[in-house]
Amino acid sequence: MTTATRFETLRRCASDPNAYAALQPGLQYFDHPLGFVAYRRTLAGNVVLGDPIATPHERPDLLAAYLRTYPKSIFSYLSEDGAAALFQVSRRMQFVRIGTERCLDLTAPLAFSTATSGALKKARKARLTLVERNLATLDAAELVQLQAINQVFIQHSPAQREISFISRLLQLAPEPDVRFFLIQAGPQQQPLGFCVLDPWYEQAQLKGYQLHQFRLLPTKIWGVYLSVVALLAEQLQTEGYQCFSLGGCIGPTAATGQQLPVSTVYDYCRDVTFRLIDRYHPLTNLSKSKGEFAGADLNRYLAAPHRLPLLPLVRLARANHIL
């Protein structure tokens, strides 16, 4: 497939809020008449990103074809439906929930927590605003400024590196249906950061967005993340969209009706691994901030044909450039 063909296939078939990540540069693809599977090869094995891109009733057949070629692959960030389709094809797989994705329902009235309401007051006092920009119209000086903001953000992060794969690499270039917002503050409306929204499709229609990137310079303004998410949710609701995903969260998973095989060994190793990773990446704190917003939690799964979870978890971390 060409890049354009994969995009049209994704727009027509995908229904997951993180599906757009399958189009990021640097991935490899298993192309098939039914659709495609995106993956990254690491530690001599494939790590599949999310659900296979095909219509729901064709996903098991696409997975079966993929596994005939790459039977020892692990699957990361699967949705409930994606995990069920994989279990239908391969009963050898071990499944472990690796978190959730918090999604806001924009068809209902928005209700903000006390912390979020306080952050919005601070934002108004600091004259914080969101300004949507077209990346195709930015001049060279503006792009250099955005790249500098991104570098400062990375340098101040615990890991001091850019994470990609589940959360795709920052592009700072025009992409289909992707939206870019500058975060500005103060009397002079100086750029304080920016955020990128990825499209969330369902039945070839744009139903909402996922908050893909959030970059912020060091600031004394309290609660910028909370206020920006609240402002974005209000704008998207006004525009008539149905939902807004805040991306992945580490922590308790939601109740589910899916009957998937569980492993206490996998669960234990997952918890230990996340505690270690959290020393270098503030996953828990960010998840707590996302938890300030009321919404539905979509479970996310890791699946592997291995009885012991160490190799799959290390591969997942390496694929995301965490280790």
Side-chain angles (χ1 to χ4, degrees), residues 126-129 145-146 149-150 152-153 181-186 189-195 214-222 224-225 227-228:
R127 301 185 188 180
L128 186 145
T129 59
Q145 186 178 42
L146 294 177
I149 290 173
N150 189 52
V152 171
F153 178 86
F181 290 84
L182 272 176
I183 305 169
Q184 301 178 163
Q189 289 292 281
Q190 291 295 319
L192 188 64
F194 59 84
C195 53
F214 180 86
R215 295 290 185 258
L216 188 68
L217 293 173
T219 178
K220 295 181 179 179
I221 305 173
W222 180 82
V224 174
Y225 176 85
S227 59
V228 167

Side-chain angles (χ1 to χ4, degrees), residues 243-264:
C243 46
F244 180 34
S245 168
L246 305 186
C249 302
I250 301 300
T253 54
T256 173
Q258 297 287 359
Q259 299 299 314
L260 299 172
V262 296
S263 167
T264 55

Side-chain angles (χ1 to χ4, degrees), residues 168-182:
R168 65 190 186 91
L169 198 66
L170 179 67
Q171 297 301 303
L172 288 181
E175 300 173 277
D177 291 334
V178 173
R179 299 176 69 173
F180 180 87
F181 290 84
L182 272 176

Side-chain angles (χ1 to χ4, degrees), residues 176-302:
D177 291 334
V178 173
R179 299 176 69 173
F180 180 87
F181 290 84
L182 272 176
I183 305 169
Q184 301 178 163
Q188 304 301 320
Q189 289 292 281
Q190 291 295 319
L192 188 64
F194 59 84
C195 53
V196 182
L197 303 187
D198 279 359
W200 180 355
Y201 302 109
E202 186 173 76
Q203 297 180 347
Q205 300 297 317
L206 187 57
K207 66 178 290 188
Y209 290 90
Q210 181 198 61
L211 180 56
H212 153 52
Q213 294 281 5
F214 180 86
R215 295 290 185 258
L216 188 68
L217 293 173
T219 178
K220 295 181 179 179
I221 305 173
W222 180 82
V224 174
Y225 176 85
L226 297 178
S227 59
V228 167
V229 169
L231 292 172
L232 287 170
E234 290 176 338
Q235 177 166 339
L236 293 177
Q237 185 180 64
T238 300
E239 292 173 358
Y241 292 105
Q242 303 173 43
C243 46
F244 180 34
S245 168
L246 305 186
C249 302
I250 301 300
T253 54
T256 173
Q258 297 287 359
Q259 299 299 314
L260 299 172
V262 296
S263 167
T264 55
V265 175
Y266 265 71
D267 288 346
Y268 175 77
C269 290
R270 170 204 60 199
D271 295 341
V272 171
T273 302
F274 284 161
R275 282 198 294 270
L276 292 173
I277 291 174
D278 205 45
R279 294 182 180 182
Y280 304 98
H281 300 271
L283 300 177
T284 301
N285 287 338
L286 181 57
S287 297
K288 289 179 179 177
S289 295
K290 294 176 183 179
E292 291 290 337
F293 296 90
D297 286 329
L298 307 181
N299 282 332
R300 294 297 178 178
Y301 292 86
L302 172 70

Side-chain angles (χ1 to χ4, degrees), residues 71-224:
K72 296 183 179 180
S73 297
I74 70 169
F75 295 78
S76 68
Y77 215 65
L78 288 168
S79 69
E80 291 275 2
D81 291 341
L86 180 60
F87 181 56
Q88 178 183 337
V89 171
S90 175
R91 299 303 173 100
R92 298 173 51 240
M93 289 289 174
Q94 299 284 334
F95 292 84
V96 59
R97 296 179 191 171
I98 57 172
T100 60
E101 184 154 342
R102 176 58 58 94
C103 299
L104 282 57
D105 181 5
L106 302 182
T107 65
L110 294 172
F112 296 136
S113 67
T114 301
T116 303
S117 298
L120 283 169
K121 290 180 181 179
K122 297 285 186 181
R124 285 191 287 268
K125 186 175 180 180
R127 301 185 188 180
L128 186 145
T129 59
L130 293 180
V131 179
E132 185 166 11
R133 297 294 304 274
N134 182 347
L135 288 171
T137 65
L138 297 182
D139 59 33
E142 289 175 308
L143 286 173
V144 168
Q145 186 178 42
L146 294 177
Q147 291 166 348
I149 290 173
N150 189 52
Q151 287 302 312
V152 171
F153 178 86
I154 293 171
Q155 290 168 5
H156 282 79
S157 69
Q160 297 186 348
R161 69 178 70 177
E162 185 89 43
I163 299 175
S164 65
F165 192 55
I166 289 178
S167 178
R168 65 190 186 91
L169 198 66
L170 179 67
Q171 297 301 303
L172 288 181
E175 300 173 277
D177 291 334
V178 173
R179 299 176 69 173
F180 180 87
F181 290 84
L182 272 176
I183 305 169
Q184 301 178 163
Q188 304 301 320
Q189 289 292 281
Q190 291 295 319
L192 188 64
F194 59 84
C195 53
V196 182
L197 303 187
D198 279 359
W200 180 355
Y201 302 109
E202 186 173 76
Q203 297 180 347
Q205 300 297 317
L206 187 57
K207 66 178 290 188
Y209 290 90
Q210 181 198 61
L211 180 56
H212 153 52
Q213 294 281 5
F214 180 86
R215 295 290 185 258
L216 188 68
L217 293 173
T219 178
K220 295 181 179 179
I221 305 173
W222 180 82
V224 174

